[in-house]
Amino acid sequence: AQSVTQLGSHVSVSEGALVLLRCNYSSSVPPYLFWYVQYPNQGLQLLLKYTTGATLVKGINGFEAEFKKSETSFHLTKPSAHMSDAAEYFCAVSNAGNNRKLIWGLGTSLAVNP
Amino acid sequence: DAGVIQSPRHEVTEMGQEVTLRCKPISGHNSLFWYRQTMMRGLELLIYFNNNVPIDDSGMPEDRFSAKMPNASFSTLKIQPSEPRDSAVYFCASSYGSPGDTQYFGPGTRLTVL
């Protein structure tokens, strides 16, 4: 069975500082990995995803994530935080099987301090 | 494209009443997902459809919940009778339906059961 663990339910950074949100997954088959962002009172939207190919994936708003198979990780980073990055971030995993379900992490709330 | 459309955006009802949530997926998408989000339980998949057929309803909490997708452009989630513990934000999402495809979320329906 697949699972996702997001380390740290709340992360606080200063504006301009590095953002690092951690995600580890468990999967017995090659995974598809996703990061979604949820701004207050909105639905989730895709930040980036890894399916195949290059393991360093670039997404919207300057975010990127690297798929590390040996570490079963897919951590999300951004070199310099902006106030507008304050939101809830969700990591999710699926695979190439017939099941279209995403297995979701519990989310990490990112606060950006001026 | 208008994106995933959900209605109503807010619903306040009294315990015991029937509640119907509606969703119009993005045109051309073949998979539709219903999620529930609460502070306590996070984001939960309730049910998903592929080509209008329910594929996995293992997340439906109990018999009070039912979902239908009569055609490719409309789905409903019904709760009868509603209970205060059903209070949550309910999201609908759609995708093209292939493994690794992005799920596009609607803005959600905030349900309050008094």
Side-chain angles (χ1 to χ4, degrees), chain A residues 32 34 36 38 41-46 49 51 88 90 94-102 104-106, chain B residues 9 31 33 35 37 41-43 45 48 50 56 58 91 97-107 110:
Chain A
Y32 293 154
F34 304 77
Y36 281 78
Q38 184 180 27
N41 300 313
Q42 295 186 25
L44 283 72
Q45 60 180 277
L46 182 72
K49 67 179 179 181
T51 53
E88 189 86 13
F90 293 90
S94 70
N95 62 54
N98 288 328
N99 196 325
R100 274 68 170 166
K101 285 172 63 171
L102 291 180
W104 296 86
L106 294 180
Chain B
R9 293 294 310 277
S31 292
F33 307 81
Y35 290 94
Q37 187 178 40
R41 301 169 71 96
L43 190 66
L45 176 66
Y48 87 91
N50 197 50
D56 187 338
S58 59
F91 290 104
S98 294
D101 282 343
T102 300
Q103 291 185 18
Y104 294 84
F105 282 72
R110 182 174 296 276

Side-chain angles (χ1 to χ4, degrees), chain A residues 13-90:
Chain A
V13 300
S14 298
E15 191 173 19
L18 171 71
V19 175
L20 171 60
L21 304 182
R22 300 178 186 274
C23 173
N24 288 90
Y25 69 90
S26 172
S27 179
S28 59
V29 297
Y32 293 154
L33 296 159
F34 304 77
W35 276 101
Y36 281 78
V37 62
Q38 184 180 27
Y39 299 103
N41 300 313
Q42 295 186 25
L44 283 72
Q45 60 180 277
L46 182 72
L47 266 180
L48 50 79
K49 67 179 179 181
Y50 167 80
T51 53
T52 59
T55 56
L56 182 61
V57 181
K58 296 185 183 300
I60 61 172
N61 301 336
F63 284 92
E64 62 182 36
E66 186 171 10
F67 168 55
K68 292 187 176 181
K69 183 179 179 180
S70 61
E71 300 177 8
T72 60
S73 69
F74 192 57
H75 302 330
L76 182 71
T77 61
K78 181 174 180 178
S80 176
H82 192 273
M83 297 294 290
S84 61
D85 294 327
E88 189 86 13
Y89 292 80
F90 293 90

Side-chain angles (χ1 to χ4, degrees), chain B:
Chain B
D1 200 313
V4 176
I5 299 173
Q6 291 187 246
S7 64
R9 293 294 310 277
H10 302 274
E11 178 80 31
V12 180
T13 190
E14 294 189 348
M15 183 174 63
Q17 296 298 305
E18 178 179 294
V19 175
T20 299
L21 310 182
R22 297 173 175 81
C23 175
K24 176 178 170 59
I26 293 172
S27 178
H29 281 187
N30 298 318
S31 292
L32 183 140
F33 307 81
W34 281 103
Y35 290 94
R36 178 172 67 177
Q37 187 178 40
T38 62
M39 291 292 293
M40 292 297 295
R41 301 169 71 96
L43 190 66
E44 303 173 274
L45 176 66
L46 300 177
I47 185 171
Y48 87 91
F49 297 83
N50 197 50
N51 293 323
N52 312 335
V53 176
I55 302 300
D56 187 338
D57 66 354
S58 59
M60 295 287 264
E62 49 198 270
D63 292 344
R64 298 185 297 108
F65 285 68
S66 62
K68 294 182 179 180
M69 192 166 186
N71 57 62
S73 58
F74 184 66
S75 178
T76 59
L77 178 67
K78 186 174 295 186
I79 308 173
Q80 166 64 19
S82 58
E83 297 183 1
R85 60 191 169 123
D86 302 329
S87 298
V89 180
Y90 291 82
F91 290 104
C92 176
S94 69
S95 76
Y96 282 111
S98 294
D101 282 343
T102 300
Q103 291 185 18
Y104 294 84
F105 282 72
T109 296
R110 182 174 296 276
L111 174 65
T112 302
V113 183
L114 303 175

